């Protein structure tokens, strides 16, 4: 019992620490190191999409880890408050993805969407032809079943914000997003934190391989972009061969 209690205390302490780390990177804003525009033959760039109330700075831990592992990383700012429609943000992302592949003269990129950013990326892939430019999409702590934190948003900015209504559990936006089929050629992975109070794990959605691409690890919402095990789940996903064999991620 004492060992279990110590483990719970350690887990809670780490989760709190991840929250402070996330806040520190949030304050960096959008002035982070510039993106690289050169890609080695055979390599594939990674595009990061931040979440609600986020900045490019919040994705900096992932950016640094990916770059240290030899990946070329791009990130885009799509509004810190994300008060506008997620559909509109998805349109902007789809345009950027197309422009990126054309300018670098490559076929497709990999995308990692954190929290609400995952909804933006998934909408772009399912409804806006972005699947033509995306090979793999990792959703990290994405509220695919909605979040009741949207109620706070409705009470404060609901009159001017479409997005807080779109992430309400049972919203039309989420129902249509989950019902739409995943286009052929795109592989999808869900990564969730078991103590995520902001965006609870909704279970695997249609198109996600439960055995290989549905991953739940210890941590809170901020842990998803701060803690190394979550990065390892992303990196494994990006590095696995396209066909046919996949290594099962140890739970």
């Amino acid at each position: 019992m004492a060992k279990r209690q110590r483990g719970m205390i350690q887990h809670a302490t780490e989760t709190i620490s991840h929250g402070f780390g996330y806040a520190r990177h949030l304050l960096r804003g959008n002035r982070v190191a510039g993106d690289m525009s050169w890609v080695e033959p055979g390599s594939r760039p990674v595009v990061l999409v931040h979440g609600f109330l986020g900045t490019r700075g919040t994705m900096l831990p992932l950016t640094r880890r990916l770059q240290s592992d030899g990946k070329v990383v791009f990130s885009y700012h799509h509004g810190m408050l994300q008060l506008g429609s997620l559909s509109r943000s998805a349109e902007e992302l789809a345009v950027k993805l197309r422009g990126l592949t054309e300018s670098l003269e490559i076929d497709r990129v990999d995308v990692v969407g954190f929290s609400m950013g995952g909804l933006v990326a998934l909408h772009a892939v399912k409804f806006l032809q972005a699947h033509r430019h995306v090979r793999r999409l990792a959703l990290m702590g994405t509220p695919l079943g909605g979040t009741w934190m949207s109620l706070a948003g409705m009470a404060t900015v609901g009159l001017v914000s479409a997005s807080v209504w779109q992430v309400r559990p049972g919203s039309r936006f989420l129902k249509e997003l989950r019902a739409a089929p995943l286009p052929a050629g795109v592989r999808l992975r869900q990564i969730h934190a078991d103590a995520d109070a902001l965006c609870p794990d909704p279970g695997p959605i249609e198109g996600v391989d439960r055995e290989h691409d549905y991953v739940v690890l210890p941590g809170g919402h901020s842990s998803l972009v701060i803690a190394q095990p979550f990065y390892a789940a992303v990196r494994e996903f990006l590095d696995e061969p396209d066909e046919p064999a996949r290594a099962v991620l140890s739970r």
Side-chain angles (χ1 to χ4, degrees):
M1 180 64 71
K3 183 177 181 180
R4 180 182 179 185
Q5 289 178 336
R6 286 196 298 270
M8 293 175 63
I9 292 173
Q10 180 181 358
H11 178 45
T13 302
E14 290 176 348
T15 300
I16 293 172
S17 175
H18 295 157
F20 282 116
Y22 181 87
R24 178 166 55 88
H25 289 296
L26 171 67
L27 294 177
R28 291 178 181 271
N30 296 298
R31 293 187 176 184
V32 298
D35 298 318
M36 297 172 61
S37 59
W38 177 80
V39 182
E40 277 190 16
S43 67
R44 196 175 303 277
V46 181
V47 176
L48 306 179
V49 188
H50 69 72
F52 184 65
L53 293 179
T55 65
R56 292 177 67 210
T58 60
M59 306 302 282
L60 196 55
L62 286 179
T63 298
R64 287 173 172 170
R65 284 177 168 140
L66 286 165
Q67 289 177 333
S68 295
D69 285 343
K71 295 287 188 180
V72 175
V73 184
F74 294 85
S75 61
Y76 298 108
H77 179 49
H78 53 85
M80 179 174 178
L81 295 180
Q82 186 60 72
L83 296 178
S85 168
L86 298 180
S87 303
R88 177 57 183 166
S89 294
E91 291 175 4
E92 295 174 357
L93 177 62
V95 170
K96 289 173 179 175
L97 293 175
R98 182 176 68 248
L100 182 61
T101 56
E102 291 176 352
S103 64
L104 296 180
E105 298 182 347
I106 57 177
D107 58 348
R108 295 186 292 174
V109 300
D110 292 327
V111 178
V112 178
F114 170 59
S115 194
M116 193 180 286
L119 296 179
V120 171
L122 187 59
H123 185 88
V125 164
K126 285 191 170 184
F127 294 105
L128 301 171
Q129 305 298 312
H131 67 282
R132 298 178 178 177
H133 314 289
V134 176
R135 183 188 69 130
R136 294 186 181 176
L137 171 58
L139 305 177
M140 303 188 74
T142 296
L144 295 161
T147 170
W148 290 109
M149 291 299 293
S150 61
L151 295 178
M154 294 177 198
T156 54
V157 294
L159 292 178
V160 295
S161 172
S163 61
V164 296
W165 296 91
Q166 290 173 318
V167 296
R168 175 182 57 82
S171 72
R172 179 178 178 181
F173 176 86
L174 291 176
K175 287 181 178 179
E176 292 178 347
L177 184 62
R178 293 187 60 157
L182 184 68
V186 179
R187 183 174 159 194
L188 186 64
R189 171 168 284 192
Q190 284 178 247
I191 304 173
H192 296 281
D194 64 356
D196 191 340
L198 294 179
C199 300
D201 172 18
I205 64 171
E206 189 71 24
V208 171
D209 186 326
R210 179 185 288 270
E211 294 298 320
H212 299 95
D213 291 325
Y214 172 62
V215 181
V216 182
L217 298 170
H221 195 62
S222 299
S223 305
L224 287 146
V225 291
I226 299 293
Q228 197 280 335
F230 291 96
Y231 170 70
V234 170
R235 182 60 201 268
E236 180 205 50
F237 177 60
L238 301 181
D239 286 350
E240 284 183 4
D242 286 333
E243 295 291 344
R246 300 175 186 170
V248 177
L249 183 71
S250 59
R251 298 300 195 267

